[in-house]
């Protein structure tokens, strides 16, 4: 879903922040995260990095790379990293 949001932001040259969906491991989570397209692209340059709301981290499959006041950037580890890399729509 977030790849489509990013694509639409590029197409319509949206400036500033947009509402993306939290990329946490909780399947039922659909909470919005306000980030800019530039922030999104920086995080998603790596197929194993994701942004999520603070408190949505799962230490069993990811490690925190950095934090902002609006979101946390995590990197998948182990089998979760392999799966994320395999499923990356940009690859």
């Amino acid at each position: 879903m977030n790849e489509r949001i990013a694509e639409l932001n590029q197409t319509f040259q949206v400036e500033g922040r947009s509402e993306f969906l939290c990329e946490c491991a909780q399947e039922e989570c659909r909470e919005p995260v306000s980030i800019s397209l530039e922030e999104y692209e920086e995080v998603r340059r790596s197929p194993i990095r994701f942004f999520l709301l603070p408190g949505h981290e799962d230490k069993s499959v990811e490690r925190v790379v950095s934090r902002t006041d609006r979101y946390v950037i995590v990197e998948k580890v182990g089998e979760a990293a392999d799966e994320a890399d395999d499923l990356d729509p940009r690859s």
Side-chain angles (χ1 to χ4, degrees):
M1 179 67 78
N2 284 336
E3 287 295 317
R4 182 71 175 131
I5 293 169
E7 182 182 304
L8 290 170
N9 279 325
Q10 288 176 328
T11 299
F12 294 105
Q13 300 177 350
V14 174
E15 294 185 23
R17 295 181 192 159
S18 293
E19 298 295 310
F20 286 79
L21 298 178
C22 178
E23 297 182 316
C24 71
Q26 302 170 33
E27 289 184 30
E28 68 280 355
C29 180
R30 300 285 184 263
E31 294 190 48
V33 180
S34 179
I35 64 172
S36 69
L37 182 58
E38 291 79 18
E39 289 170 314
Y40 178 77
E41 290 298 329
E42 184 173 328
V43 172
R44 294 300 294 138
R45 276 191 197 116
S46 170
I48 62 171
R49 287 196 176 182
F50 300 89
F51 64 90
L52 24 136
L53 290 170
H56 287 215
E57 308 93 279
D58 181 349
K59 294 178 184 175
S60 69
V61 294
E62 57 205 15
R63 69 178 182 87
V64 174
V65 175
S66 66
R67 295 179 184 274
T68 74
D69 59 330
R70 293 174 283 119
Y71 59 90
V72 176
I73 299 172
V74 297
E75 186 171 85
K76 299 293 182 180
V77 295
E79 289 181 28
D82 294 339
E83 184 175 345
D85 191 36
D86 290 344
L87 296 174
D88 182 35
R90 297 175 176 220
S91 298

